[in-house]
């Protein structure tokens, strides 16, 4: 009874209706998904760990980071047999769905002072584009996205030990989370410029090291650590295609089907992969100018970060996530997923929801256009690519306006 009384308390992030909606989704969630992962690779790796132990799973052909392999090991232990592991592999969706909910509730709770709309978390939880990867596709993209979101929130709120935990964990869930490390560093520098604490920094490093030791110790003690290193080293180039079903820039630039072209082919003296890197890092340098300039002003003039700074942070992070998906080669159709949650955070603070709506539609058009579960996207991939391009264009315009405003703010501060 006390549990339900607490869940009825509006001061808590989790309400009774969240639990009911989660149960409803679990009840209706399809038992099918992307066959090669949900019915082949994942149960096979889970059974390998069940049979040989978690410490030996990197002797299989897995190419996943440690956090998820821990999960597959315990999934196998809970099932108890090869037959049940394969028969119930769809139940992994229930685990991923917890993170879809966790991300939505964390953002709604952490940013609640910036908006007045009630039950705003359901803009994500009723969002088919947001839930598609978990509920239909059966993928784990919600897990690293939630870790990144929690890391940014904790750093901004100066929950530094939790921040160290989530930021570290995000990389060990999915290596692509490394693109968000600059945001962790920017917030870390800002927080320690406000109040430097050597002991706190040492504790953060300790938390990070303990988290890594927890994840890696089975492989260190089991003698398979170097197999893990090999997986990390070979992660770039594992799918050497110009696009791996991501409806991005390459569908607009290349006449041939990008999924059939090796990204080691050259154009104007550079491989397609290097062109992707060049575009990403070059454009990222422009994207980071406003947030770096604003952080510098906060530090130099000893000012406190406000809602405008927080909105700029989320806008920058969402733009980087979309840019990573849009210009790089080897991108999967799902890799724009993190941008949905990040644009949602920007929408809550800025109260400008257009980019959030557009990225939700674009992501859904890509994943269902490839998977064709609902048949929602009968159009050519190029149209979805143009929509992603429009999202980036609007984001760049907003960042350019921010740059002009920040320059004016800097001049005003100097004249004081």
């Amino acid at each position: 009874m006390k549990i339900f009384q607490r869940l009825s308390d509006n001061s808590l992030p989790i309400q009774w209706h969240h639990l009911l909606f989660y149960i409803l989704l679990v009840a209706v969630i399809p038992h099918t998904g992307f066959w090669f992962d949900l019915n082949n690779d994942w149960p096979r790796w889970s059974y390998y760990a069940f049979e040989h132990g978690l410490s030996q799973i990197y002797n299989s052909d897995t190419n996943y980071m440690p956090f998820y392999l821990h999960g597959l090991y315990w999934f196998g232990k809970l099932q108890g047999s090869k037959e049940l592991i394969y028969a119930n592999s769809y139940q992994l969706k229930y685990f991923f769905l917890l993170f879809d909910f966790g991300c939505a509730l964390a953002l709604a709770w952490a940013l609640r002072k910036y908006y007045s709309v009630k039950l705003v978390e359901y803009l994500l939880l009723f969002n088919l584009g947001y839930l598609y990867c978990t509920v239909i596709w059966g993928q784990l993209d919600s897990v690293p996205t939630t870790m990144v979101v929690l890391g940014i929130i904790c750093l901004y709120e100066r929950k530094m030990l939790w921040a160290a935990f989530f930021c570290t964990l995000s990389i060990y869930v999915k290596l692509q989370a490394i693109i968000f490390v600059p945001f962790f560093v920017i917030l870390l520098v800002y927080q320690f410029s406000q109040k430097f604490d050597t002991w706190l920094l040492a504790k953060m490093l300790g938390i990070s090291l303990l988290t890594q030791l927890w994840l890696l110790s089975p492989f260190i003690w089991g003698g398979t650590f170097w197999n893990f290193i090999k997986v990390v080293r070979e992660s770039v180039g594992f799918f050497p295609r110009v696009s791996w079903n991501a409806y991005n820039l390459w569908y607009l630039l290349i006449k041939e089907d990008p999924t059939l072209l090796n990204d080691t082919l050259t154009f104007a003296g550079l491989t397609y992969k290097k062109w992707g890197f060049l575009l990403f890092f070059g454009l990222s340098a422009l994207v980071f100018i406003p947030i770096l300039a604003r952080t510098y002003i906060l530090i130099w003039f000893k000012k406190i970060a406000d809602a405008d700074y927080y909105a700029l942070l989320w806008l920058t992070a969402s733009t980087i996530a979309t840019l990573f998906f849009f210009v790089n080669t080897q991108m999967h159709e799902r890799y724009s997923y993190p941008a949905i949650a990040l644009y949602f955070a920007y929408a809550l603070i800025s109260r400008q929801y257009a980019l959030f709506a557009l990225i939700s539609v674009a992501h859904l058009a890509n994943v269902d256009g490839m998977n064709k579960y609902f048949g929602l996207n009968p159009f050519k991939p190029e149209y979805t690519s143009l929509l992603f391009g429009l999202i980036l264009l609007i984001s760049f315009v907003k960042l350019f306006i921010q740059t002009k405003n920040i320059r004016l703010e800097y001049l005003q501060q100097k004249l004081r």
Side-chain angles (χ1 to χ4, degrees):
M1 181 64 67
K2 289 183 178 180
I3 294 176
F4 288 103
Q5 288 177 348
R6 284 178 61 81
L7 287 174
S8 65
D9 183 356
N10 289 329
S11 65
L12 292 174
I14 301 177
Q15 299 292 308
W16 61 269
H17 50 83
H18 298 140
L19 295 177
L20 286 180
F21 187 50
Y22 177 82
I23 293 170
L24 174 64
L25 286 177
V26 166
V28 302
I29 202 168
H31 291 186
T32 57
F34 185 53
W35 186 88
F36 286 102
D37 285 337
L38 201 60
N39 301 105
N40 182 48
D41 286 346
W42 295 349
R44 180 161 48 83
W45 297 336
S46 181
Y47 178 64
Y48 190 95
F50 174 77
E51 187 176 30
H52 300 282
L54 174 62
S55 65
Q56 301 304 307
I57 196 169
Y58 276 115
N59 282 332
S60 70
D61 63 341
T62 185
N63 62 333
Y64 274 56
M65 294 295 283
F67 180 85
Y68 186 50
L69 298 182
H70 279 257
L72 286 180
Y73 169 72
W74 287 108
F75 175 77
K77 294 285 284 186
L78 287 171
Q79 298 300 324
S81 70
K82 180 178 181 179
E83 291 73 23
L84 288 177
I85 289 172
Y86 275 85
N88 297 328
S89 61
Y90 69 90
Q91 293 176 4
L92 288 166
K93 290 183 177 183
Y94 306 159
F95 174 69
F96 305 149
L97 191 59
L98 289 172
F99 289 89
D100 287 292
F101 273 72
C103 185
L105 295 179
L107 285 171
W109 176 253
L111 306 181
R112 62 193 182 280
K113 65 182 179 181
Y114 300 108
Y115 63 88
S116 57
V117 181
K118 292 184 178 180
L119 302 178
V120 73
E121 63 272 20
Y122 284 103
L123 289 177
L124 278 178
L125 296 179
F126 286 166
N127 187 326
L128 185 56
Y130 179 71
L131 290 180
Y132 194 101
C133 278
T134 294
V135 175
I136 305 301
W137 201 251
Q139 289 287 345
L140 61 105
D141 298 80
S142 62
V143 184
T145 300
T146 302
M147 299 303 174
V148 168
V149 164
L150 289 173
I152 291 175
I153 290 172
C154 289
L155 279 169
Y156 186 82
E157 299 290 343
R158 203 178 172 86
K159 309 294 183 183
M160 305 302 275
L161 299 185
W162 280 110
F165 174 71
F166 288 123
C167 292
T168 302
L169 206 56
S170 67
I171 304 299
Y172 282 87
V173 177
K174 198 164 189 176
L175 199 58
Q176 285 88 340
I178 200 170
I179 67 172
F180 298 105
V181 168
F183 298 96
F184 302 155
V185 174
I186 288 169
L187 285 171
L188 190 65
V189 170
Y190 164 72
Q191 290 293 1
F192 278 105
S193 74
Q194 296 294 305
K195 182 182 178 182
F196 186 78
D197 188 331
T198 304
W199 176 233
L200 178 60
L201 181 59
K203 287 194 288 185
M204 290 182 69
L205 290 172
I207 291 291
S208 178
L209 289 173
L210 285 173
T211 303
Q212 294 179 70
L213 183 61
W214 159 53
L215 292 169
L216 295 176
S217 57
F219 317 116
I220 294 172
W221 296 330
T224 57
F225 175 75
W226 292 110
N227 292 4
F228 156 70
I229 296 297
K230 181 182 178 182
V231 165
V232 173
R233 189 172 61 246
E234 295 179 352
S235 60
V236 178
F238 194 82
F239 297 104
R241 293 289 184 271
V242 172
S243 173
W244 204 260
N245 299 311
Y247 297 167
N248 56 16
L249 178 66
W250 300 104
Y251 274 89
L252 301 175
L253 297 182
I254 299 175
K255 293 181 179 180
E256 297 90 342
D257 185 347
T259 63
L260 302 178
L261 287 180
N262 196 302
D263 68 354
T264 58
L265 295 174
T266 60
F267 173 77
L270 293 176
T271 64
Y272 287 117
K273 181 167 74 173
K274 289 182 179 178
W275 275 115
F277 284 152
L278 186 63
L279 285 170
F280 176 66
F281 288 110
L283 292 173
S284 294
L286 297 177
V287 172
F288 273 106
I289 288 174
I291 192 66
L292 289 174
R294 189 75 202 284
T295 305
Y296 171 78
I297 290 174
L298 294 180
I299 294 172
W300 184 255
F301 295 104
K302 301 185 185 306
K303 298 182 67 178
I304 303 297
D306 56 11
D308 289 339
Y309 179 80
Y310 208 10
L312 176 60
L313 183 74
W314 290 111
L315 176 60
T316 308
S318 52
T319 306
I320 288 294
T322 309
L323 186 65
F324 177 76
F325 165 86
F326 191 67
V327 300
N328 277 304
T329 62
Q330 304 183 24
M331 292 292 104
H332 288 264
E333 66 290 322
R334 313 177 322 274
Y335 284 7
S336 60
Y337 172 88
I340 300 178
L342 298 172
Y343 276 119
F344 177 65
Y346 170 69
L348 293 185
I349 301 176
S350 67
R351 301 185 183 183
Q352 299 175 30
Y353 290 84
L355 285 171
F356 166 62
L358 287 173
I359 195 66
S360 299
V361 171
H363 176 79
L364 178 60
N366 196 159
V367 291
D368 196 63
M370 186 271 169
N371 187 42
K372 303 187 186 307
Y373 187 87
F374 293 112
L376 296 174
N377 185 9
F379 306 105
K380 292 182 178 180
E382 289 83 352
Y383 292 105
T384 305
S385 303
L386 287 171
L387 183 54
F388 280 114
L390 176 62
I391 292 166
L392 279 174
L393 178 62
I394 296 173
S395 299
F396 271 91
V397 169
K398 287 179 176 291
L399 289 169
F400 175 73
I401 294 171
Q402 287 288 333
T403 303
K404 293 178 64 177
N405 294 338
I406 290 167
R407 182 176 180 274
L408 180 60
E409 179 186 1
Y410 176 72
L411 293 174
Q412 290 174 342
Q413 290 294 331
K414 285 194 69 177
L415 292 174
R416 289 182 179 180

